[in-house]
């Protein structure tokens, strides 16, 4: 018996080692290539045809192809467009949306299928381009510049009416709720708001039709129509009219209408009542109550910060009640204050503290004093390190060594100390390798009369140089502060020079801006803009940029503080008093 078992095992082993010389045929898989389909198509609603002529090749010489074109929007099932090879159809899908086109090509001989995708952007003549708000002194309209050319007077051409008053601002709200009578419900529309000093209109940019007026955008229409600004944040939309802030909560269903104006005392009571309502509705749902109480508190502070931010942007007097409210901002949520929105809150909180005169500072301890104003030590340290890192990255070397030395003892966390050492090391290298500060600095540019002005003209005086342009929003924000300094130090041994980066072909626009805003001081323009040798020498790639040149013609700071920075005035006082 054992002999038979042994023979069987040997037989199996021999079979397993046997070389299979069978006649098998192996072929490489078929390859189908599709060309002639672009990655993206932009077509206009009810105006364009979408025509795609694909080229299809296969390694199978006898291939018989079938085609299937489908289209789908995000979150929807695809619809069949055609079974033909060539897609030729009128673009009649909902505008201002992105769609996915799919071409399926199948070889009927092998059953092998390949898929080719493309993105279709359905627009309208009004959905892409640059909108320009214009007026003739009495009425306002909108022009649109796009790749297709210029569309003039859109409001009147499409709707048969203009806006009363002088042009103020254009504001875009990506998702504004408007009642759709055909669907009998509120729908979100991409809305462009045109504001004048006496009126307001909202237009649906898919068709340029009016969807909002001053009379139907409020629950209670304010008596005086004086629109000033409209903008949105993650949680709310805000509308500034006649110096008062109105808001819409975007985190839940709404009618697209603005409520009562924000009053600090009333606003606080409204949100307190909201918290009481949540506690009542929440019942036995602690997570629900906790989440909505947190949201309501966040909304309250967002409204406070937005009000302060807008009033500061427009250079309006801020009431003390608003400054005090900002000063009571809670700093418990450490994670939130590390977000971009949280940093905006910190920025405005510290500005309010500065306005209230909550701290005094020197040139070297300014950032440290601001960080100490933040009640939460870890948030304050994180703010300080971020600002120091930003200064080093921007090569703001003025008083940098003294500032770092002043801040060193206040950094306590282990992670903070490591980061601080990295900042100090990088700053040391920059200071060591800096060859621009301290060397001779000269420029020659033209003024508005075409006269060439040289920096040598101002030898013996400090030069505070502002590099700006009429198309630069942040530059224009600094201009009132620049003018204030110019008036304050008029007659002193300092001259304030504004150097424009506007295109040479648009110098008339620059001259007009100077005249309309009564810009004082020395006003020059660089014919070559950012390509001029002076600008390239100091690595100016973004504006506004400020420089300080000494009485001896040598560069003192090629990246100086802005006019709005309180250190600038302190620095100028120190320099001028030392010379006197």
């Amino acid at each position: 018996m054992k002999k038979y078992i042994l023979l069987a095992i040997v037989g199996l082993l021999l079979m397993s080692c046997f070389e299979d010389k069978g006649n098998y045929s192996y072929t490489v898989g078929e390859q189908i290539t599709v060309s002639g389909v672009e990655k993206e198509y932009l077509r206009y609603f009810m105006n364009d045809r979408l025509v795609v002529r694909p080229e299809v090749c296969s390694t199978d010489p006898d291939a018989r192809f079938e085609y299937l074109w489908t289209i789908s929007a995000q979150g929807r099932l695809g619809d069949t467009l055609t079974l033909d090879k060539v897609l030729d159809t009128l673009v009649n899908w909902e505008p201002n949306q992105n769609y996915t086109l799919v071409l399926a090509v199948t070889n009927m001989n092998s059953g092998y299928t390949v898929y080719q995708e493309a993105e279709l952007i359905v627009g309208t003549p009004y959905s892409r381009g640059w909108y320009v708000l214009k007026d003739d002194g009495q009425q306002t309209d909108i022009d649109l510049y796009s790749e297709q050319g210029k569309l003039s007077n859109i409001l009147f051409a499409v709707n048969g009416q203009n806006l009363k008053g002088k042009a103020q601002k254009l504001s875009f709200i990506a998702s504004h709720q408007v009642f759709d009578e055909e669907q009998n419900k509120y729908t979100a529309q991409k809305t462009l708001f045109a504001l004048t000093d006496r009126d307001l209109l909202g237009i649906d940019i898919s068709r340029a039709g009016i969807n909002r007026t001053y009379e139907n955008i409020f629950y209670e229409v304010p008596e005086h129509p004086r629109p000033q600004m409209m903008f949105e944040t993650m949680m709310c939309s805000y509308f500034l009219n006649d110096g008062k802030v109105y808001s819409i909560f975007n985190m839940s269903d709404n009618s697209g209408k603005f409520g009562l104006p924000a009053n600090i005392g009333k606003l606080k009571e409204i949100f307190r009542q909201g918290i009481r309502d949540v506690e009542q509705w929440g019942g036995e749902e602690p997570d629900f109550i906790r989440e909505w109480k947190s949201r309501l508190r966040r909304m309250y502070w967002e409204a406070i910060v937005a009000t302060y931010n807008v009033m500061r942007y427009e250079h309006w007097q801020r009431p003390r009640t608003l400054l005090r409210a900002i000063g009571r901002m809670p700093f418990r949520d450490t994670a939130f204050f590390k977000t971009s929105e949280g940093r905006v809150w910190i920025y405005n909180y510290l500005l309010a503290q500065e306005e209230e005169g909550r701290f005094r500072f020197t040139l070297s301890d300014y950032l440290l004093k601001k960080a100490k104003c933040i009640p939460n030590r870890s948030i304050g340290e994180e703010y300080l390190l971020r600002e120091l890192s930003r200064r080093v990255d921007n090569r703001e070397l003025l008083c940098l060594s003294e500032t770092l030395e002043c801040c060193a003892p206040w950094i306590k966390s282990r992670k903070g100390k490591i980061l601080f050492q990295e900042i100090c090391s990088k700053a040391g290298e920059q200071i060591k390798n800096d060859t621009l500060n301290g060397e001779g600095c000269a420029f020659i540019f033209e003024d508005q009369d075409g006269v060439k002005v040289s920096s040598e003209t101002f030898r013996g005086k400090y030069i505070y140089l502002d590099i700006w342009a009429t198309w630069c929003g942040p530059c224009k924000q600094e201009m009132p502060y620049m003018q204030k300094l110019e008036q304050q130090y008029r007659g002193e041994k300092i001259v304030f020079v504004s150097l424009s980066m506007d295109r040479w072909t648009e110098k008339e626009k620059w001259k007009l801006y100077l005249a309309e805003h009564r810009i004082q001081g020395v006003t020059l323009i660089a014919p070559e803009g950012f390509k001029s040798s002076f600008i390239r020498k100091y690595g100016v790639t973004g504006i506004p940029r400020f420089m300080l040149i000494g009485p001896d013609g040598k560069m003192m700071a090629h990246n100086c503080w802005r006019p709005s920075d309180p250190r600038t005035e302190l620095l100028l006082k120190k320099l001028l008093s030392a010379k006197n």
Side-chain angles (χ1 to χ4, degrees):
M1 183 67 178
K2 291 182 179 179
K3 185 186 293 184
Y4 292 119
I5 293 173
L6 181 61
L7 287 171
I9 292 172
V10 171
L12 287 170
L13 289 171
L14 289 172
M15 289 173 64
S16 64
C17 296
F18 182 77
E19 181 181 359
D20 186 356
K21 296 183 179 180
N23 185 19
Y24 299 101
S25 175
Y26 297 97
T27 59
V28 178
E30 180 186 2
Q31 290 185 343
I32 298 176
T33 57
V34 179
S35 60
V37 180
E38 299 177 11
K39 291 183 178 180
E40 180 181 289
Y41 295 91
L42 169 63
R43 296 293 185 270
Y44 291 109
F45 176 71
M46 298 303 291
N47 185 68
D48 293 343
R49 296 192 71 82
L50 177 62
V51 180
V52 185
R53 303 180 187 277
E55 295 294 331
V56 181
C57 298
S58 172
T59 53
D60 177 5
D62 300 319
R64 294 182 300 111
F65 296 120
E66 282 194 353
Y67 305 93
L68 173 63
W69 281 96
T70 60
I71 186 170
S72 61
Q74 186 176 10
R76 300 180 192 172
L77 295 175
D79 295 324
T80 299
L81 294 176
T82 182
L83 300 178
D84 296 332
K85 178 181 179 181
V86 175
L87 175 64
D88 186 346
T89 181
L90 178 68
V91 177
N92 59 359
W93 301 283
E94 188 68 25
N96 293 321
Q97 289 195 40
N98 290 13
Y99 297 85
T100 301
L101 292 168
V102 179
L103 168 62
V105 181
T106 302
N107 183 354
M108 298 306 295
N109 292 338
S110 62
Y112 181 55
T113 302
V114 295
Y115 300 90
Q116 187 76 23
E117 289 191 2
E119 183 180 14
L120 171 64
I121 302 171
V122 179
T124 70
Y126 310 105
S127 60
R128 285 204 168 191
W130 293 266
Y131 283 95
V132 177
L133 196 64
K134 63 178 187 178
D135 68 68
D136 60 6
Q138 298 295 325
Q139 292 185 321
T140 294
D141 212 313
I142 299 174
D143 289 344
L144 173 64
Y145 295 83
S146 68
E147 295 175 355
Q148 281 66 44
K150 176 184 176 183
L151 294 175
S152 300
N153 303 319
I154 291 174
L155 289 177
F156 188 80
V158 177
N159 304 284
Q161 69 178 87
N162 302 109
L163 269 163
K164 301 187 297 287
K166 295 182 180 180
Q168 291 279 89
K169 283 183 172 65
L170 283 172
S171 299
F172 177 68
I173 303 296
S175 181
H176 183 73
Q177 296 293 324
V178 177
F179 188 74
D180 188 324
E181 294 184 357
E182 292 182 3
Q183 301 184 44
N184 196 33
K185 66 176 183 179
Y186 283 95
T187 60
Q189 295 183 6
K190 295 178 180 179
T191 303
L192 182 71
F193 285 95
L195 282 64
T196 72
D197 58 353
R198 291 189 289 141
D199 204 357
L200 166 148
L201 283 177
I203 64 170
D204 173 8
I205 64 167
S206 65
R207 298 176 179 84
I210 294 173
N211 61 12
R212 282 294 182 194
T213 65
Y214 183 83
E215 287 71 27
N216 68 15
I217 202 169
F218 297 97
Y219 281 109
E220 294 183 12
V221 182
E223 181 181 357
H224 303 293
R226 293 168 185 162
Q228 292 157 311
M229 181 181 290
M230 186 178 291
F231 63 98
E232 67 176 345
T233 64
M234 183 178 70
M235 285 190 174
C236 296
S237 296
Y238 295 98
F239 179 32
L240 199 63
N241 181 77
D242 196 23
K244 296 172 183 167
V245 179
Y246 301 78
S247 63
I248 299 173
F249 182 45
N250 294 331
M251 300 295 286
S252 64
D253 293 339
N254 64 77
S255 64
K257 292 187 177 184
F258 289 92
L260 296 173
N263 173 288
I264 303 302
K266 290 182 180 178
L267 191 65
K268 195 168 187 177
E269 181 53 38
I270 288 170
F271 281 101
R272 280 178 175 170
Q273 182 59 49
I275 289 174
R276 289 193 289 268
D277 291 341
V278 165
E279 290 173 339
Q280 181 179 348
W281 299 334
E284 302 298 324
E285 299 290 337
D287 291 340
F288 172 84
I289 294 173
R290 191 181 306 110
E291 178 186 351
W292 274 96
K293 285 172 72 173
S294 175
R295 283 192 184 188
L296 286 167
R297 290 191 181 101
R298 185 78 59 84
M299 283 172 57
Y300 168 74
W301 287 109
E302 185 183 69
I304 296 293
V305 170
T307 303
Y308 176 79
N309 213 354
V310 169
M311 296 187 78
R312 183 177 176 275
Y313 180 86
E314 295 291 340
H315 299 282
W316 295 335
Q317 184 69 35
R318 272 76 72 188
R320 291 188 65 83
T321 51
L322 179 61
L323 296 176
R324 292 194 193 103
I326 289 269
R328 291 191 288 269
M329 183 183 294
F331 283 87
R332 292 185 292 270
D333 190 351
T334 306
F336 169 72
F337 284 100
K338 291 182 179 180
T339 66
S340 57
E341 186 181 0
R343 290 170 183 173
V344 171
W345 287 26
I346 292 175
Y347 174 75
N348 285 281
Y349 167 82
L350 292 173
L351 284 174
Q353 297 299 294
E354 214 169 281
E355 280 195 58
E356 282 277 83
R358 295 291 177 88
F359 62 92
R360 294 183 178 181
F361 57 89
T362 64
L363 294 177
S364 56
D365 70 1
Y366 176 68
L367 290 179
L368 177 60
K369 289 290 182 67
K370 290 177 76 172
K372 286 183 174 181
C373 274
I374 299 173
N376 186 312
R377 175 65 182 257
S378 65
I379 295 175
E381 183 178 289
E382 197 269 343
Y383 162 80
L384 180 60
L385 291 168
R386 185 173 64 250
E387 285 298 303
L388 290 172
S389 180
R390 182 191 61 79
R391 279 198 62 183
V392 173
D393 290 342
N394 291 342
R395 303 184 69 84
E396 297 177 15
L397 306 182
L398 188 61
C399 295
L400 183 56
S401 297
E402 298 87 338
T403 298
L404 292 171
E405 184 179 350
C406 186
C407 294
W410 202 70
I411 308 297
K412 297 296 184 182
S413 71
R414 183 173 176 273
K415 183 178 178 181
K417 287 182 177 180
I418 294 172
L419 180 56
F420 184 74
Q421 287 301 317
E422 293 175 357
I423 293 171
C424 289
S425 177
K426 189 174 180 180
E429 286 295 316
Q430 288 187 357
I431 294 170
K432 178 182 176 182
N433 297 326
D434 181 60
T435 58
L436 297 175
N437 285 333
E439 72 166 14
C441 169
F443 60 77
I444 300 176
F445 296 109
E446 289 188 13
D447 65 11
Q448 60 264 47
D449 298 320
V451 178
K452 292 187 181 295
V453 178
S454 168
S455 56
E456 285 298 310
T457 308
F458 312 114
R459 177 73 71 159
K461 293 184 178 182
Y462 291 97
I463 300 174
Y464 186 75
L465 179 64
D466 171 14
I467 303 173
W468 71 295
T470 59
W471 45 260
C472 169
C475 299
K476 292 188 285 188
Q477 271 295 104
E478 291 295 325
M479 197 58 75
Y481 298 100
M482 180 78 167
Q483 293 298 289
K484 182 181 177 182
L485 289 176
E486 197 277 334
Q487 293 172 9
Q488 184 175 344
Y489 291 103
R490 190 171 294 171
E492 300 278 353
K493 291 184 178 180
I494 185 170
V495 61
F496 293 86
V497 179
S498 298
L499 176 61
S500 173
M501 293 292 104
D502 283 287
R503 293 188 182 93
W504 187 248
T505 55
E506 296 182 352
K507 61 180 179 180
E508 293 304 319
K509 177 183 175 183
W510 164 67
K511 291 180 183 179
L512 182 62
Y513 185 91
L514 296 178
E516 287 182 348
H517 294 82
R518 300 178 181 178
I519 304 300
Q520 302 297 313
V522 180
T523 53
L524 308 176
I525 188 169
E528 297 178 337
F530 287 98
K531 294 181 180 179
S532 71
S533 57
F534 177 81
I535 296 299
R536 285 191 285 110
K537 177 180 179 179
Y538 292 100
V540 179
T541 56
I543 51 177
R545 177 80 170 266
F546 300 89
M547 299 181 182
L548 184 64
I549 302 170
D552 56 0
K554 293 183 179 180
M555 180 63 73
M556 295 181 65
H558 57 80
N559 198 351
C560 195
W561 299 312
R562 296 185 176 197
S564 60
D565 192 317
R567 287 172 295 181
T568 301
E569 185 177 348
L570 190 62
L571 173 65
L572 297 183
K573 281 183 180 179
K574 182 178 178 181
L575 293 173
L576 294 172
S577 62
K579 290 296 177 182
N580 292 333

